[in-house]
Amino acid sequence: MSMDNLPPCLVLEILSRLSDSTDLARCRVVSKTFNALSHDVRSINLVCSLSRYLSSRSLVPNLFVTPFKTVFRDLVRASGRVDSVSLGVDKSLAGITFDDVDDDSDDLYLTDTAFVKTWLPRIAPDLKSLSISDFWVQSCWRRSDVLSLISWSCHGLVKLLVRNAWLSVDGLVPMPMLTSLTLEFVRLDDEDLCKINKCFPNLLELNLIGVGGLREPKISLLHLRTCQWSVSNAPLSLAICAPKLANLQLKCIRPRLIVLEASSLSAFDLSIEGTDEFKWINCHSIEYFKFGSSNLACLSGLFRSCKTVKRLKVDSVRRSEHNRLTTFGFETLFESFPLLSSLDLGPGAWHDMETSFCMEGLKHRIEMNTLKELVAHMVVQEIESTLAFIFSVLDNCTKLSNISLVIHHDVDPPVASNLMSRCRNYCPRVRWKLGIWKDGIKDTWVSDAN
C-alpha cells in the first residue's frame, strides 16, 4: 500500500507526531495527500540546531541556508488552525559567547516584536500553548515587548514559556485564561514581577528559573498551586503569598529575609545558603520537606519544632575543611522535626552526621520513636565508625523497620557486603536494603539483605 492510500486520519496522526516541524515541511513535497493533510496539523515545533546555525554563517561559496525565521514564517502561513507553537534554539547554542559573534545579527533574535508580529496575529485566536526559547547572545542586550504583544493577541492562551530574554512588561494587559507561566533565564525588575502578578491572576503553575535583576521580589497569586522559583542573584528579600500553593521548590543564595505565607503548602523543596530571617505565616500543612545547603547547621535555626513534617530529605554540598568544623548531629533533626516517620539523607548530610557522632556521640537522648524508614547515602571510609553510628541510630530509633543503605559505587563490594551482613546480624527485626549511588545517575538497588 502506498502512502497516498493510507486512511487520512492515520496520515494526520503520523504528521501530528513529528517532533520537528522541519520534517513536516519536507513531507509536503512527498505526496499530494501529505501536502493537503499537513495543513490540518495543530502544532508547530521548530528548533534551530547548532549545525544549522554554523551552516548559516559558513563562508563556503554557493552554500545558501534558508534563514531560520523564514522557515518558521512559511510553516505558519502554510498551516491552518494552530493551537500549539514551540519555537527556539537548541541548548547547544548556549556555548556560543559574545567573542564568537562579530556583528549585531538578529537572525535568531526570536523575541523581536517586529518578527513576532509577522506570524502571531494569524494564529493567535486558536493558540493555547506558546513557547519561545531565544538566543541569549542576540537577545540579552535588546529589551523585548513580546509579553505585551502576546497579551494583546492571544486571548485564549493557557500556557506560556519564554527563555533567554530581557523582557519588558510595558503595555501588558490581563490574561485571565493563562494558568501556566515559565520564565527561564530572563531579566526582570521588581515592578515587572508585580505587574505579572496583576496581569496573570489565575496562574496555577509558575516557574521562575534563573530570573535576574530582582532585589525585593514578591509573588502574590491567589490560585497558584505549584511554584518553582530559582533566584540567580542575592536579593534583599523575597516573599510568597499564595493561600492555595501546595508544592513549592525554592532555590536562592542568601536573602536577608524570606516571607512565606502558604496555608495549603504540603511539599516544600528548599535550597539555600542561609538567611537572616525566615517568616512563616500560616504554614501548618507541610508534610514533605527537602532541604539542601552548604551549612546544615542553619536548619535548626530556621525550623523549630515543625510537627507537621513527616517525610524529610536532607543533603549538604561539599564544603571546605574550615567550614566542616561546624558539625550537624543526627539528633538535631528531631529537635526541629519531632514527628518524622521517613528520613532520606544525602551523602553530604550523612558525612556531617557521622563526623559529628565520631566527635561527640549522640549529644541528647531525645525521643526518636516516630522514625520508621531511613535511606542513607554514604561513602564508607572507616567501616567501624560507620557501623558504630548506624548501631547508635538503631538503639535510639526503636521503631525503625526499613533501612536502605545506598553506598557509593567506588566502595569495594566486599566492604559493602560486610557492612550489610553486620547490620543484619545486629538488628534482624529491620528490613535491610542495599543500593549503589553515583553522581548524576539514579540509585541502583542491588538486593534486599533479609
Side-chain angles (χ1 to χ4, degrees):
M1 179 184 293
S2 69
M3 298 297 287
D4 281 331
N5 292 329
L6 290 174
C9 60
L10 180 58
V11 174
L12 182 59
E13 179 68 19
I14 293 172
L15 296 178
S16 298
R17 289 177 179 269
L18 294 175
S19 59
D20 187 344
S21 292
T22 303
D23 295 329
L24 181 65
R26 296 188 181 105
C27 287
R28 286 173 174 164
V29 300
V30 171
S31 71
K32 293 181 179 180
T33 300
F34 275 25
N35 182 47
L37 290 174
S38 68
H39 300 284
D40 293 328
V41 173
R42 302 295 297 271
S43 64
I44 296 176
N45 179 22
L46 194 66
V47 178
C48 180
S49 64
L50 178 61
S51 60
R52 180 186 178 85
Y53 170 80
L54 295 176
S55 297
S56 68
R57 281 154 177 74
S58 174
L59 299 179
V60 177
N62 301 321
L63 178 62
F64 175 76
V65 177
T66 304
F68 182 74
K69 289 181 176 179
T70 300
V71 173
F72 180 77
R73 279 195 298 259
D74 290 345
L75 278 169
V76 172
R77 289 168 181 165
S79 299
R81 298 176 61 187
V82 175
D83 57 27
S84 176
V85 167
S86 180
L87 169 68
V89 300
D90 190 78
K91 293 181 179 179
S92 58
L93 271 72
I96 296 175
T97 66
F98 293 100
D99 294 335
D100 301 319
V101 180
D102 57 4
D103 56 26
D104 295 334
S105 300
D106 64 355
D107 55 317
L108 289 180
Y109 175 33
L110 303 180
T111 55
D112 177 15
T113 52
F115 163 64
V116 177
K117 285 179 180 178
T118 64
W119 56 267
L120 183 62
R122 187 183 184 282
I123 59 176
D126 298 302
L127 202 59
K128 302 297 182 183
S129 176
L130 174 60
S131 172
I132 303 177
S133 298
D134 216 331
F135 185 34
W136 182 247
V137 172
Q138 294 184 8
S139 65
C140 66
W141 55 278
R142 296 174 165 112
R143 195 176 188 189
S144 170
D145 292 318
V146 71
L147 283 182
S148 175
L149 177 59
I150 293 170
S151 69
W152 279 97
S153 305
C154 305
H155 304 297
L157 197 66
V158 174
K159 184 175 183 179
L160 174 62
L161 182 152
V162 181
R163 289 191 181 99
N164 309 325
W166 179 14
L167 300 177
S168 167
V169 297
D170 294 342
L172 189 66
V173 297
M175 298 184 69
M177 297 296 292
L178 195 73
T179 58
S180 176
L181 175 66
T182 297
L183 301 178
E184 187 171 346
F185 301 114
V186 304
R187 180 178 172 185
L188 289 175
D189 297 320
D190 286 347
E191 56 270 23
D192 297 339
L193 187 56
C194 289
K195 196 159 187 178
I196 286 175
N197 288 324
K198 181 179 179 181
C199 291
F200 304 144
N202 295 319
L203 286 179
L204 302 177
E205 177 186 11
L206 175 62
N207 301 303
L208 301 176
I209 304 170
V211 176
L214 302 173
R215 290 180 57 80
E216 295 182 319
K218 181 178 181 180
I219 293 174
S220 181
L221 293 164
L222 296 179
H223 304 285
L224 191 66
R225 302 292 179 86
T226 302
C227 180
Q228 181 181 355
W229 193 2
S230 175
V231 186
S232 60
N233 59 316
L236 296 176
S237 67
L238 59 87
I240 299 174
C241 178
K244 293 186 178 181
L245 184 64
N247 295 279
L248 172 62
Q249 182 177 344
L250 177 61
K251 183 177 182 179
C252 46
I253 300 174
R254 189 179 175 87
R256 295 179 184 175
L257 171 65
I258 297 177
V259 179
L260 179 59
E261 184 174 0
S263 57
S264 300
L265 187 63
S266 60
F268 186 17
D269 182 345
L270 176 63
S271 179
I272 192 173
E273 295 306 306
T275 180
D276 295 338
E277 187 176 5
F278 202 131
K279 290 185 178 180
W280 298 83
I281 303 174
N282 296 326
C283 297
H284 306 306
S285 302
I286 302 175
E287 294 186 0
Y288 172 73
F289 181 45
K290 181 180 178 181
F291 183 79
S293 177
S294 62
N295 180 18
L296 289 183
C298 72
L299 184 62
S300 58
L302 295 177
F303 305 92
R304 294 184 179 89
S305 192
C306 294
K307 295 184 178 181
T308 62
V309 175
K310 302 297 191 300
R311 296 182 297 127
L312 177 66
K313 186 172 184 178
V314 182
D315 198 11
S316 65
V317 298
R318 295 297 181 187
R319 299 176 290 162
S320 67
E321 293 299 326
H322 174 74
N323 286 336
R324 285 178 183 169
L325 295 175
T326 301
T327 59
F328 182 77
F330 183 82
E331 68 280 6
T332 306
L333 293 178
F334 288 85
E335 293 173 349
S336 298
F337 309 100
L339 299 182
L340 278 183
S341 62
S342 175
L343 177 60
D344 188 333
L345 298 174
W350 180 268
H351 176 272
D352 288 357
M353 292 180 187
E354 184 177 328
T355 301
S356 175
F357 172 79
C358 292
M359 294 172 59
E360 303 172 346
L362 289 185
K363 292 180 289 186
H364 306 296
R365 298 291 177 175
I366 63 174
E367 292 291 329
M368 304 181 190
N369 293 328
T370 60
L371 190 64
K372 298 179 180 179
E373 180 180 11
L374 173 64
V375 179
H377 294 76
M378 62 181 68
V379 177
V380 182
Q381 297 174 331
E382 296 289 340
I383 189 171
E384 297 301 328
S385 298
T386 300
L387 283 168
F389 181 39
I390 294 173
F391 295 166
S392 180
V393 170
L394 285 166
D395 292 341
N396 284 273
C397 302
T398 57
K399 292 187 178 180
L400 260 175
S401 57
N402 291 276
I403 298 181
S404 299
L405 301 182
V406 194
I407 301 173
H408 193 268
H409 74 108
D410 284 341
V411 175
D412 289 337
V415 173
S417 178
N418 182 29
L419 180 72
M420 289 296 294
S421 177
R422 294 175 65 178
C423 286
R424 180 181 57 187
N425 290 334
Y426 184 84
C427 193
R429 66 175 174 81
V430 170
R431 181 177 180 271
W432 297 90
K433 192 175 181 180
L434 175 63
I436 298 173
W437 71 271
K438 183 179 181 181
D439 286 331
I441 298 178
K442 187 177 180 180
D443 294 345
T444 301
W445 297 107
V446 179
S447 65
D448 292 345
N450 287 19

